[in-house]
Amino acid sequence: MPDAHQGYGLPIGGVLATQNAVIPYGVGVDIGCRMCMTFYDLPESHLTERGDQLRQMLVDNTRFGQATFQRPQDDAVLERSEIGSSGGGNHFVEFGVVEVVDAENEFGVPVGKYLAVLSHSGSRGLGANIAAHYTRIAKSVCQLPDEAKHLAWLDLDSEAGQEYWQAMTLAGDYASACHHQIHRRLGKALGESPLAMVENHHNFAWKEQDAD
């Protein structure tokens, strides 16, 4: 989990339980930020034998900072010019090696080392705008001391709370779609279909489910 910094009110990577409430800045600004990895039936020797080609694939198929793709691929979640880009900060896309050590793994692949693509990014501007808007609303209805003001919350039974939850979910779906675009482009450049994809997100809120 690559994020470990102060955040607003709650450190990124921290976990906080609430009772029927959500804290926009507790979720974080880059809503749905995540790691996503695909790995391929290609040997780890690709990293050294074809390093220049792999670097060029990254240059051709990723965008950082304010850069966007002029013709984004269609995606069910949203059609935005920045879809499939990575933003800035500590976001990255890189090639590496994944090692499968358990013969009874969930992917059904043989034990061994495989070429992998790893990406880290979230919803960026979309998530930041959602966080800022609903934090202003939360601060207006939840008056806290100055040192705790970023922990202002929204009741999930309120209209604003329900709106935020829907917007947060959408931003998370958008962040996931961006990763999938990146991995599809790199898979196409490699000329390979991935053996598996592993994806996990942070900067998010979940509703606790009672165990049956």
Side-chain angles (χ1 to χ4, degrees), residues 40 42 46-47 50-64 69 93-95 115-117 181-192:
Y40 301 83
L42 294 170
H46 260 56
L47 281 178
R50 303 187 182 183
D52 290 341
Q53 292 177 330
L54 297 180
R55 279 190 287 272
Q56 191 60 48
M57 287 180 193
L58 292 175
V59 171
D60 293 341
N61 294 285
T62 63
R63 296 290 185 274
F64 289 84
F69 285 95
V93 182
E94 63 185 17
F95 282 101
L115 184 74
V117 176
Q181 294 276 355
I182 293 166
H183 286 259
R184 279 198 289 268
R185 286 197 299 267
L186 288 170
K188 183 177 180 180
L190 287 168
E192 297 283 337

Side-chain angles (χ1 to χ4, degrees), residues 23-203:
I23 303 170
Y25 267 179
V27 169
V29 174
D30 194 9
I31 297 171
C33 192
R34 68 194 57 225
M35 299 286 283
C36 185
M37 181 181 70
T38 47
F39 60 93
Y40 301 83
D41 191 14
L42 294 170
E44 63 173 320
S45 60
H46 260 56
L47 281 178
T48 52
E49 295 173 356
R50 303 187 182 183
D52 290 341
Q53 292 177 330
L54 297 180
R55 279 190 287 272
Q56 191 60 48
M57 287 180 193
L58 292 175
V59 171
D60 293 341
N61 294 285
T62 63
R63 296 290 185 274
F64 289 84
Q66 297 297 317
T68 60
F69 285 95
Q70 292 183 350
R71 298 185 63 186
Q73 299 180 40
D74 291 339
D75 201 286
V77 61
L78 274 180
E79 290 187 12
R80 296 170 64 95
S81 60
E82 64 185 44
I83 194 167
S85 62
S86 299
N90 64 350
H91 294 168
F92 62 81
V93 182
E94 63 185 17
F95 282 101
V97 174
V98 62
E99 182 175 7
V100 177
V101 298
D102 185 356
E104 302 297 324
N105 63 83
E106 61 190 284
F107 311 113
V109 300
V111 169
K113 294 182 179 181
Y114 301 88
L115 184 74
V117 176
L118 180 66
S119 56
H120 169 231
S121 57
S123 53
R124 291 104 64 212
L126 175 64
N129 288 334
I130 292 170
H133 174 73
Y134 285 98
T135 292
R136 284 194 295 270
I137 295 175
K139 287 180 178 179
S140 70
V141 297
C142 177
Q143 303 293 324
L144 294 175
D146 190 62
E147 62 271 18
K149 63 184 179 181
H150 292 314
L151 293 177
W153 66 83
L154 295 170
D155 191 314
L156 286 177
D157 290 332
S158 69
E159 181 177 356
Q162 293 177 25
E163 284 181 2
Y164 173 79
W165 195 269
Q166 293 175 1
M168 178 196 72
T169 302
L170 177 62
D173 290 343
Y174 172 67
S176 180
C178 285
H179 281 271
H180 294 180
Q181 294 276 355
I182 293 166
H183 286 259
R184 279 198 289 268
R185 286 197 299 267
L186 288 170
K188 183 177 180 180
L190 287 168
E192 297 283 337
S193 296
L195 295 173
M197 173 181 281
V198 182
E199 185 176 358
N200 192 19
H201 58 294
H202 45 282
N203 284 41

